[in-house]
Amino acid sequence: IFVGLRVASVRDNQKDTSQNTTTAKPASPTDFNKQKFSITSPASQWVVVNKERPLNPKSYVPSDLAFPEIVLRRGSGSGDMQLKKETAKALEEMSAAAKKADLSIMLASGYRSYQVQTSVYGSEVARFGEAIASMESARPGYSEHQTGFAADLTPSSGQCVIADCFANTPEGKWLAKNAYKFGF
């Protein structure tokens, strides 16, 4: 499914200012520096966070959260509509490009604090049991959303909100083809 997006090193590459889009410069093996960013620091855009690899500290809170200026599922009063500032800017650029293709994307979920993820995971456990919850949701401290780099997107119509069917929407198909151009 194509609902979770993540900022990547593409943002460090050249900008094509004639079209105001980000383009990736092909890296040769000698150009690519694996040490450029940490995979363990929670503030690093290369941080690896997954079900086996927690944030350190698990209670990490990004220092530069911002509300992207795009359609928000819950409005700007909700903390989970924030992203790291760089990610929010990249999402704004991607949303503007989608609009040029007559598509509208909405941020369905962004940053989740340790406390919010505790609640989300706990609700999933209560509804489905721990085995199913662990397949569908991350334990607190193990979620990419806590980094501020992850964004769940959906069509602005509200169709397929955080659901597998998103991949088959025009917006989902467009994102699958174009998200990399914006660092996702």
Side-chain angles (χ1 to χ4, degrees):
I1 62 176
F2 200 93
V3 293
L5 298 178
R6 174 102 186 239
V7 140
S9 61
V10 136
R11 300 285 300 163
D12 293 333
N13 292 325
Q14 297 176 329
K15 274 235 182 208
D16 175 356
T17 54
S18 65
Q19 295 192 22
N20 203 21
T21 60
T22 303
T23 56
K25 174 181 81 173
S28 74
T30 58
D31 290 345
F32 186 74
N33 179 356
K34 292 181 188 178
Q35 306 306 315
K36 186 171 183 180
F37 297 104
S38 169
I39 63 167
T40 58
S41 170
S44 170
Q45 62 186 359
W46 284 7
V47 66
V48 177
V49 182
N50 58 39
K51 293 179 185 206
E52 289 83 35
R53 196 177 164 108
L55 286 166
N56 185 12
K58 286 184 183 177
S59 60
Y60 170 74
V61 177
S63 62
D64 61 341
L65 292 171
F67 291 98
E69 293 184 24
I70 71 164
V71 179
L72 304 174
R73 184 174 112 192
R74 292 195 183 101
S76 62
S78 181
D80 73 339
M81 295 290 102
Q82 296 180 90
L83 296 167
K84 286 187 68 71
K85 188 180 259 183
E86 178 186 15
T87 307
K89 184 176 179 341
L91 183 55
E92 290 166 1
E93 292 171 7
M94 189 165 63
S95 177
K99 282 183 182 174
K100 288 180 181 176
D102 291 324
L103 301 170
S104 182
I105 57 175
M106 171 172 62
L107 178 62
S109 181
Y111 168 72
R112 288 189 208 132
S113 68
Y114 183 90
Q115 293 76 16
V116 168
Q117 193 64 30
T118 298
S119 176
V120 168
Y121 183 74
S123 293
E124 293 286 310
V125 169
R127 269 179 87 190
F128 306 110
E130 190 169 353
I132 301 276
S134 292
M135 289 189 318
E136 299 290 324
S137 182
R139 295 180 315 230
Y142 291 76
S143 173
E144 286 184 324
H145 282 277
Q146 194 175 332
T147 67
F149 289 124
D152 291 339
L153 303 176
T154 190
S156 294
S157 67
Q159 176 189 9
C160 297
V161 176
I162 311 178
D164 292 352
C165 59
F166 176 67
N168 297 316
T169 66
E171 290 83 355
K173 291 175 182 178
W174 184 89
L175 285 168
K177 290 179 185 173
N178 294 285
Y180 78 94
K181 296 174 185 176
F182 303 91
F184 292 101

